[in-house]
Amino acid sequence: LLQTLKKIFAIVNNKTLSEARRLETIETNFSKADNLRNLSLTDLLFFLNSDKLSQEWGRISHGIQELKLPESTGGINPGDQRAIFYLTRAINANSVLEIGSHIGCSTIILALALEQNLKENKIDALNRMTSVDIKDVNDPIRQPWKAFDSPHSPKKILELIGCDWVVEFVTEDSLSFLSKCQKTFDFIFLDGSHLAGVVYQETPHALRLLNPGGLILLHDYFPDNQPLWSNGYLISGPYLAVERLKQENLNLDILPLGDLPWPTKLDSHKTSLALLIRKI
Ligand SMILES: C[S@@+](CC[C@H](N)C(=O)[O-])C[C@H]1O[C@@H](n2cnc3c(N)ncnc32)[C@H](O)[C@@H]1O
């Protein structure tokens, strides 16, 4: 009964309702999930429990800690960073798109994993990753990273770890960028606006720009619109967007990463990362 009441409370809360209402006003945008990887839970667990990737992470994680990226100021937590590294490496992504650069907590991990893939695949082309944010996250005048206790701009951090050749930053609204983007990508991370309407509209673009067998990863996806942690924190937008996308695209499904094999935040292993997958 408690679970049911909690569910009703969460669904009926005002913020979720207004998100759902706003989402309803957006025109249907049919999407094709054909290029998405048909990833099973078994595949996911295989990726996350890889001994090879665990050893690699062991070698690079010390350097990442030394960068002194802040926690709990809007960037993804170290446990989520590790999961993103594993996924990008596991699918051998050779091109990456990130929406939502912020202070670069995810940017640097995606860049490190991508750089390793590119080295192994003997690809030395520049800018195989694009990171988009509506704000200029590297603005030398305003220095926005300082407000979030980060020691350097995302671009500077990439320079420090020797990955600046991998990433180009774009300052633009995600929908404007996605609608005219000509590149295609193996791995797309959506962590920009968390409004249901925006995620709903970003996803068909992301599906169109995805290479066959690629992955689209969402952050702040709360399954069943329920808080994941004891602090009751809940963002409804990505969940509501995916519910509508699933109704309109029967091939599309979501695979929340659930409990990771390592800690994430608030003494838990829980993550709000979730993969869009193709149903067969
Ligand atoms: C939660 S933060 C991203 C965190 C980042 N991935 C990290 O780990 O450091 C969300 C970012 O998305 C950006 N954003 C919000 N709405 C956006 C939009 N419509 N288009 C592009 N970026 C947007 C914000 O400016 C913010 O920097």
Side-chain angles (χ1 to χ4, degrees):
L1 180 66
L2 190 64
Q3 282 308 316
T4 315
L5 283 175
K6 271 190 186 165
K7 225 176 207 175
I8 291 170
F9 176 74
I11 288 172
V12 174
N13 88 39
N14 282 342
K15 208 161 163 262
T16 304
L17 267 184
S18 61
E19 278 280 290
R21 283 204 191 105
R22 243 181 299 162
L23 178 60
E24 267 179 19
T25 65
I26 295 172
E27 223 174 278
T28 300
N29 200 339
F30 286 108
S31 50
K32 277 191 159 186
D34 297 2
N35 281 357
L36 267 181
R37 188 174 284 239
N38 161 37
L39 195 89
S40 67
L41 181 59
T42 313
D43 298 330
L44 175 65
L45 294 176
F46 180 75
F47 289 169
L48 296 176
N49 290 292
S50 155
D51 287 339
K52 179 177 164 273
L53 292 176
S54 170
Q55 283 164 21
E56 242 181 66
W57 183 255
R59 284 196 292 275
I60 64 164
S61 58
H62 186 65
I64 295 169
Q65 277 167 26
E66 283 190 342
L67 293 170
K68 301 216 182 318
L69 293 173
E71 280 189 46
S72 311
T73 66
I76 59 164
N77 68 60
D80 286 356
Q81 290 178 339
R82 184 169 177 175
I84 289 182
F85 182 82
Y86 278 48
L87 289 173
T88 315
R89 285 286 286 140
I91 68 156
N92 188 20
N94 282 321
S95 47
V96 172
L97 171 64
E98 171 182 64
I99 303 292
S101 329
H102 187 48
I103 52 173
C105 290
S106 46
T107 317
I108 61 155
I109 299 301
L110 287 161
L112 279 166
L114 175 61
E115 189 202 30
Q116 192 59 33
N117 294 341
L118 296 176
K119 274 186 187 158
E120 286 175 7
N121 299 325
K122 301 197 183 339
I123 298 173
D124 56 10
L126 302 179
N127 300 337
R128 300 287 304 198
M129 171 171 167
T130 304
S131 183
V132 180
D133 203 292
I134 200 164
K135 301 175 307 202
D136 180 358
V137 296
N138 298 301
D139 184 342
I141 313 279
R142 284 194 318 109
Q143 305 190 334
W145 58 91
K146 287 193 171 164
F148 300 100
D149 294 331
S150 191
H152 306 289
S153 68
K155 200 172 173 17
K156 175 75 188 171
I157 298 172
L158 288 169
E159 279 166 27
L160 292 173
I161 58 174
C163 284
D164 46 319
W165 63 278
V166 177
V167 185
E168 63 167 348
F169 286 94
V170 173
T171 304
E172 193 169 351
D173 171 72
S174 61
L175 293 175
S176 154
F177 170 83
L178 289 164
S179 60
K180 55 182 197 289
C181 178
Q182 299 291 321
K183 289 186 181 175
T184 59
F185 305 92
D186 295 336
F187 191 97
I188 300 181
F189 181 46
L190 297 182
D191 190 22
S193 167
H194 292 84
L195 291 173
V198 178
V199 180
Y200 173 74
Q201 292 177 90
E202 283 175 344
T203 305
H205 286 300
L207 288 167
R208 183 177 50 79
L209 299 177
L210 194 70
N211 289 327
L215 286 179
I216 299 179
L217 181 67
L218 306 184
H219 195 236
D220 293 307
Y221 177 85
F222 288 77
D224 296 329
N225 200 32
Q226 293 296 301
L228 281 165
W229 293 280
S230 49
N231 62 4
Y233 180 69
L234 176 67
I235 295 181
S236 299
Y239 168 79
L240 293 172
V242 169
E243 283 304 289
R244 180 164 169 191
L245 288 158
K246 281 197 305 183
Q247 277 171 20
E248 294 168 355
N249 185 334
L250 300 178
N251 279 347
L252 190 73
D253 209 350
I254 186 95
L255 179 62
L257 268 57
D259 281 282
L260 295 176
W262 46 78
T264 51
K265 68 177 197 182
L266 295 173
D267 289 326
S268 83
H269 286 216
K270 290 183 195 306
T271 179
S272 65
L273 291 171
L275 284 164
L276 289 176
I277 53 167
R278 180 172 51 87
K279 274 199 226 165
I280 45 166

